[in-house]
Amino acid sequence: MEIKVLHQVMEWNEDVSEQVRAVLQEHKICMVNVMGSPGAGKTSLIVSLIEKLRSKWRIGVIEGDITGQIDAERIASLGIFAIQLNTDGACHIEAMSIQKLLPLLPLDQLDVFFVENIGNLVCPAEFKIGESLRITILSVPEGDDKVEKYPLMFTETNCLVLNKYDMLPYFDFDEDRVRRHYETFCPGAPFFPVSCRDADSLEGLCRFLDGQIGAAVNGQ
């Protein structure tokens, strides 16, 4: 019985996700679902990407947290439209939550908005939210075994960002191990080693995002 109920919930979420996607396609907006563990650097990466992309694209952010609004305040201080979404204990964001927020977003004034999902390597991967693109962040201090331990997160994604790459010399971290298993789960998918302290390291990821945002804006 429990499996049946879960299946029904997932189907309902898929339906709402498609409704959200249709609204965003109508407004030619790219929504980027940013997933990763607590402390992986999701907010810092979003801030760095804003600085690199804001001269070309109109950007907004939905900050997902169990409680509080620290990250949304940080984004808003940059002059970027930000909404705080608190799940009050839920370990992921669902499509219905995004659907309820859409009327609050200035959709005609956005080209892209980032959704920072709840810090978790399990639940967020299971729930689509109408996104155009999924980014999974893994940071060097987390360890090189996470791709093997949480395969769904590293399968249900469009690219993997290896964050805090500047810390690689200080940790026993096997980058080849990560690349090898990620390639098994997502053959040919982009892989970007980055450090938010090194703007140049973000160039490849920004080019990738630029292409994805451009496709959405042009209705492709």
Side-chain angles (χ1 to χ4, degrees):
M1 179 62 70
E2 290 182 0
I3 294 176
K4 182 178 180 181
V5 171
L6 177 60
H7 181 64
Q8 290 174 345
V9 169
M10 296 294 284
E11 283 189 346
W12 169 79
N13 188 79
E14 287 283 340
D15 291 342
V16 178
S17 176
E18 289 303 316
Q19 294 168 19
V20 171
R21 184 188 300 275
V23 172
L24 297 179
Q25 288 177 339
E26 178 183 351
H27 289 272
K28 298 182 178 180
I29 295 174
C30 179
M31 179 167 72
V32 183
N33 184 0
V34 181
M35 304 179 293
S37 297
K42 297 185 295 297
T43 307
S44 295
L45 181 65
I46 290 172
V47 167
S48 297
L49 292 174
I50 287 171
E51 296 298 342
K52 301 283 284 186
L53 298 171
R54 67 186 305 169
S55 63
K56 184 174 182 180
W57 305 112
R58 300 170 298 173
I59 302 172
V61 177
I62 294 176
E63 277 292 341
D65 284 298
I66 290 177
T67 188
Q69 57 186 41
I70 296 173
D71 293 337
E73 291 173 350
R74 181 180 177 186
I75 299 296
S77 71
L78 303 173
I80 296 295
F81 181 86
I83 289 181
Q84 182 68 51
L85 172 59
N86 289 339
T87 63
D88 297 324
C91 60
H92 60 275
I93 294 174
E94 295 182 2
M96 177 62 78
S97 296
I98 300 298
Q99 187 178 58
K100 290 180 178 179
L101 286 179
L102 288 180
L104 304 179
L105 294 169
L107 297 179
D108 292 330
Q109 301 173 38
L110 294 175
D111 300 311
V112 55
F113 67 88
F114 295 93
V115 177
E116 181 176 339
N117 217 311
I118 307 302
N120 190 328
L121 285 178
V122 181
C123 303
E126 299 177 356
F127 290 83
K128 294 181 179 179
I129 58 173
E131 65 270 63
S132 312
L133 180 69
R134 285 183 158 197
I135 294 177
T136 297
I137 303 176
L138 171 68
S139 65
V140 168
E142 291 176 73
D144 54 26
D145 59 352
K146 296 300 180 289
V147 179
E148 298 157 78
K149 287 184 174 181
Y150 303 96
L152 186 63
M153 175 59 73
F154 298 93
T155 302
E156 295 294 324
T157 190
N158 299 109
C159 77
L160 174 58
V161 174
L162 179 57
N163 197 22
K164 305 183 183 181
Y165 197 66
D166 55 311
M167 302 183 74
L168 194 62
Y170 308 104
F171 287 85
D172 184 13
F173 187 95
D174 188 344
E175 181 181 347
D176 289 338
R177 178 184 183 183
V178 171
R179 287 180 178 270
R180 183 172 64 254
H181 287 282
Y182 178 57
E183 176 66 22
T184 299
F185 295 138
C186 289
F191 179 97
F192 300 103
V194 307
S195 168
C196 294
R197 296 180 177 181
D198 178 7
D200 290 341
S201 72
L202 297 168
E203 290 298 327
L205 175 58
C206 286
R207 284 194 297 270
F208 173 72
L209 287 173
D210 190 67
Q212 298 294 317
I213 298 168
V217 169
N218 292 319
Q220 300 176 1

